[in-house]
Amino acid sequence: MVDAFKMKNKMNYKYFITSLSLIFLMSCGKKKEQPLVVDKIKMKPPRLEFLWQTDSLLTTCEAVLFDKTSKVIYVTNINNNPWEKDNNGFISTINTKGEITNLKWIEGLSAPKGMGVSNGKLYVNDVDDLVEIDIEKREILNTYHVGGSPQLNDITISADGVVYSSGSNSNSIYKLENGALQIVAKDAFQRLNGLLWQKEAMYYLDSGKHHFGALDLEHKTFKTLTTDIGHGDGIVRLENGDFITSSWKGEIYYIEAKDWSKTKLLDTKEQSINAADIDFIPETQMLLVPTFFNNRVVCYQLK
């Protein structure tokens, strides 16, 4: 009888343990999932890392332009006076290693500045002329003249091949149409320089007001986006939608499109090294900076 009592207690104990386990498992199954807490990722500020610089043969180099088709970098060289009609300006070509491949690819210009490529043609501003160059033949095809000392500066080309040009002295944006430069917008600037056509707006740099802004071409309305960015010169847009702008006296700014805040990436004013009309190569994250009176193109990698 004692053995039977012990056997019964063992069975009751096993039943108790089994029941307790089931209750535990069921309670776990009903337990609400706790939200996963993830610390906010702290993004490092963008910075530039020096890669290379060219030899100092690019006299008064004002603008650079990377041609995606040929992988050639064009460089405009004013060769001394920025606005004099002296016919001593030229265009050079360099490669993505900083080697000068043709110092005087095109000669006979005066003070060449901003450039754009479209349909096998290189367009370049030259004081009061917009010059059209056949890239394959390396010859000037057309010259479109603007009277009244406009001081033509930057060039941007739309997706459908429309060429736009900025006049720093005339404070006007021109469009090449029917063989002539027609005014698209004017009188809203203090000293217009950089232009960048995008499908949603024409972005511009006002060197006099130190502003970065956007022009709605359809409605002819202007909006200031960022201020205090120096003597604005060149504009590039990154694949993430942000912008990089240069200030002629030697500054580079990173501008975030989400809130138009800015970060200074480079400042070479104390060394008297300018930062003129820049360009950017997305595939290698290379920023190309012509240094004007320093006579070199400097390349940095965006980090």
Side-chain angles (χ1 to χ4, degrees):
M1 187 172 178
V2 174
D3 292 338
F5 179 79
K6 288 182 178 179
M7 182 67 69
K8 186 177 180 179
N9 284 344
K10 282 184 177 180
M11 290 178 65
N12 289 339
Y13 181 76
K14 287 182 179 179
Y15 177 79
F16 173 76
I17 294 299
T18 303
S19 299
L20 189 62
S21 299
L22 288 171
I23 292 170
F24 177 78
L25 290 172
M26 289 174 67
S27 66
C28 288
K30 292 180 180 179
K31 187 177 180 181
K32 292 183 179 180
E33 292 185 4
Q34 296 297 319
L36 183 63
V37 178
V38 179
D39 292 334
K40 290 182 179 179
I41 299 174
K42 293 183 179 180
M43 299 297 290
K44 292 182 178 180
R47 62 184 178 86
L48 294 177
E49 181 179 284
F50 173 84
L51 289 183
W52 49 257
Q53 64 180 12
T54 65
D55 199 348
S56 58
L57 300 174
L58 304 174
T59 46
T60 329
C61 51
E62 201 279 336
V64 288
L65 180 68
F66 176 68
D67 185 355
K68 297 177 182 178
T69 302
S70 63
K71 307 302 180 186
V72 167
I73 300 169
Y74 297 103
V75 185
T76 54
N77 302 275
I78 293 170
N79 199 11
N80 295 319
N81 196 308
W83 300 110
E84 188 176 341
K85 299 279 286 187
D86 51 19
N87 295 315
N88 70 353
F90 57 95
I91 298 176
S92 303
T93 60
I94 65 175
N95 60 27
T96 55
K97 297 178 181 178
E99 299 164 335
I100 298 174
T101 53
N102 194 329
L103 181 61
K104 296 189 175 180
W105 181 77
I106 287 287
E107 296 183 84
L109 303 172
S110 289
K113 295 179 179 66
M115 295 175 284
V117 169
S118 179
N119 195 29
K121 309 296 190 301
L122 176 68
Y123 295 88
V124 55
N125 278 329
D126 191 21
V127 186
D128 52 9
D129 293 322
L130 172 61
V131 181
E132 180 183 11
I133 300 170
D134 186 298
I135 292 175
E136 185 177 354
K137 294 179 180 179
R138 283 177 55 191
E139 64 180 34
I140 295 174
L141 297 178
N142 294 294
T143 299
Y144 307 97
H145 182 74
V146 180
S149 185
Q151 294 188 351
L152 300 179
N153 211 325
D154 201 13
I155 283 179
T156 187
I157 301 179
S158 70
D160 55 355
V162 178
V163 180
Y164 293 90
S165 177
S166 68
S168 291
N169 194 46
S170 61
N171 282 313
S172 300
I173 298 176
Y174 302 90
K175 177 171 71 171
L176 182 60
E177 193 170 46
N178 300 322
L181 288 173
Q182 309 292 333
I183 293 177
V184 173
K186 64 178 299 184
D187 298 335
F189 317 100
Q190 188 166 315
R191 185 162 179 81
L192 176 65
N193 194 340
L195 292 180
L196 180 64
W197 181 93
Q198 298 283 272
K199 61 182 180 179
E200 74 274 12
M202 174 73 77
Y203 294 93
Y204 63 89
L205 289 169
D206 191 320
S207 179
K209 295 180 180 179
H210 299 185
H211 287 180
F212 175 53
L215 162 64
D216 184 323
L217 287 170
E218 182 181 355
H219 301 98
K220 299 295 189 293
T221 55
F222 297 83
K223 184 178 181 180
T224 297
L225 304 174
T226 307
T227 60
D228 301 321
I229 54 170
H231 297 267
D233 202 317
I235 314 169
V236 296
R237 194 169 198 178
L238 308 178
E239 291 177 312
N240 65 1
D242 293 340
F243 297 83
I244 295 179
T245 65
S246 62
S247 169
W248 182 82
K249 288 195 173 181
E251 296 167 303
I252 301 290
Y253 289 91
Y254 187 102
I255 300 175
E256 296 191 41
K258 64 179 181 180
D259 58 6
W260 306 115
S261 61
K262 62 182 182 290
T263 301
K264 187 183 290 188
L265 299 179
L266 184 72
D267 190 340
T268 55
K269 296 194 303 298
E270 288 189 4
Q271 295 94 329
S272 298
I273 299 176
N274 303 105
D277 194 354
I278 57 177
D279 202 7
F280 187 75
I281 306 176
E283 293 78 11
T284 53
Q285 298 289 290
M286 292 165 65
L287 182 69
L288 306 167
V289 182
T291 60
F292 212 78
F293 291 125
N294 194 247
N295 302 325
R296 293 179 172 87
V297 171
V298 181
C299 178
Y300 302 90
Q301 189 167 53
L302 178 65
K303 296 289 187 178

